[in-house]
């Protein structure tokens, strides 16, 4: 039996699947559990890197909690991240990245056409970059396997961290939700700007794994394949209401 909460008007899909590399982990967004969950995860990760100071570990925990708070505040359907610590000549090199899945709805009276949204994003990026010394960013229309046309926005942005701007490489993929005015946004970012191109390849591979579920397969029970792939429902409860 179909769960009415999971139904989408006009035949829009009710779920999606998304695959992440094995080294990535699910970021707990629940305000009741995320702080302890994130601490456990990072403490476990840094056991492999004893060269990190206690201060560095605590800073990793704080920054990851901030990312989780912001994702939750934006109504993210889910978020995943990776953390890897390498030995470098000048000390440990911390590699990190996150991808959050957001759902946005284009207001009535405003064009929901993908090309229009991408053009508007390009204009906004150019305006925001003026006087910052940062590149203006890039917007593209491209095709994803089994999805079709999507938009992609790439930029370097200064993210405020305790009053200090931290350059961060971002790549957002805009995926139209069929039969609706909604979009799913795969918002990926990394502070490792020097390795941005390598991270962009990872972000693109994640985006290319995206699949919508067939509405006819939707039921009140969670789809095991979607759960295993890191996907999730797109019903009313996932709109951040």
């Amino acid at each position: 039996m179909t769960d009415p909460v999971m139904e989408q008007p006009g035949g829009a899909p009710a779920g999606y699947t998304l695959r992440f590399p094995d080294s990535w982990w699910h970021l707990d967004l629940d305000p009741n559990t995320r702080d302890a969950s994130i601490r456990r995860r990072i403490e476990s990760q840094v056991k492999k890197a004893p060269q990190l100071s206690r201060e560095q570990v605590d800073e990793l925990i704080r920054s990851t909690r901030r990312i989780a708070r912001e994702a939750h505040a934006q109504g993210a359907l889910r978020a995943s991240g990776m953390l890897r610590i390498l030995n470098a000549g000048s000390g440990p090199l911390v590699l990190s990245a996150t991808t959050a899945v957001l759902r946005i709805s284009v207001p009535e009276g405003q064009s929901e056409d993908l090309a229009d949204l991408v053009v508007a994003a390009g204009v906004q990026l150019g305006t925001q970059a003026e006087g910052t010394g940062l590149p203006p960013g890039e917007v593209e229309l491209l095709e994803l396997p089994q999805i079709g046309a999507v938009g992609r926005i790439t930029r370097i942005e200064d993210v405020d961290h305790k009053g200090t701007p931290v350059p961060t490489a971002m790549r957002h993929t805009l995926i139209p939700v069929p039969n609706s005015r909604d979009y799913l946004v795969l918002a990926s970012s990394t502070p490792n700007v020097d390795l941005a191109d390598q991270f962009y390849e990872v972000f693109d591979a994640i985006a290319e794994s995206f699949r919508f579920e067939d509405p006819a397969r939707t039921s009140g029970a969670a789809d095991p394949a979607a759960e295993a792939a890191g996907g999730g429902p797109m019903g009313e409860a996932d709109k951040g209401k």
Side-chain angles (χ1 to χ4, degrees):
M1 176 171 29
T2 300
D3 182 349
V5 176
M6 301 289 286
E7 285 184 355
Q8 295 296 309
Y16 67 91
T17 59
L18 190 63
R19 297 189 181 278
F20 291 86
D22 291 340
S23 57
W24 285 55
W25 46 282
H26 175 68
L27 198 58
D28 186 358
L29 301 182
D30 186 339
N32 297 314
T33 57
R34 67 186 174 210
D35 284 359
S37 173
I38 288 169
R39 175 174 287 279
R40 284 195 302 271
R41 170 65 68 168
I42 292 181
E43 293 284 5
S44 174
Q45 291 283 106
V46 300
K47 285 180 181 177
K48 307 169 188 175
Q51 66 272 37
L52 285 183
S53 68
R54 184 69 250 174
E55 182 180 355
Q56 289 173 306
V57 173
D58 288 342
E59 180 55 35
L60 280 173
I61 292 171
R62 284 193 294 269
S63 62
T64 306
R65 285 174 173 171
R66 174 180 55 80
I67 291 169
R69 285 195 305 271
E70 291 175 354
H72 180 267
Q74 293 171 341
L77 304 184
R78 69 158 295 146
S80 292
M82 61 82 64
L83 174 65
R84 188 176 179 187
I85 302 164
L86 305 177
N87 288 319
S90 58
L93 174 61
V94 179
L95 304 179
S96 64
T98 59
T99 293
V101 183
L102 308 173
R103 184 167 185 164
I104 62 173
S105 184
V106 180
E108 293 290 340
Q110 183 176 325
S111 173
E112 77 272 23
D113 182 75
L114 176 63
D116 290 345
L117 292 177
V118 169
V119 168
V123 173
Q124 184 178 14
L125 286 180
T127 301
Q128 291 174 341
E130 290 179 1
T132 65
L134 297 173
E138 180 181 12
V139 296
E140 306 167 84
L141 284 172
L142 62 151
E143 297 280 324
L144 280 188
Q146 299 186 30
I147 297 298
V150 302
R152 188 164 68 190
I153 302 169
T154 305
R155 69 187 188 279
I156 305 295
E157 182 178 305
D158 279 337
V159 175
D160 181 77
H161 181 63
K162 291 181 169 181
T164 301
V166 177
T168 302
M170 300 184 175
R171 175 161 279 183
H172 292 184
T173 302
L174 283 68
I175 303 174
V177 178
N179 302 312
S180 78
R181 296 179 62 84
D182 291 356
Y183 281 79
L184 289 188
V185 181
L186 308 184
S188 301
S189 64
T190 176
N192 300 107
V193 174
D194 291 344
L195 299 173
D197 288 342
Q198 290 90 327
F199 274 103
Y200 290 155
E201 291 181 3
V202 177
F203 299 157
D204 290 347
I206 293 171
E208 288 170 6
S209 77
F210 186 93
R211 300 288 185 273
F212 281 117
E213 287 182 354
D214 182 347
R217 293 179 55 241
T218 305
S219 68
D223 177 13
E227 293 293 329
M234 290 164 50
E236 295 295 320
D238 286 314
K239 290 186 179 179
K241 290 186 177 181

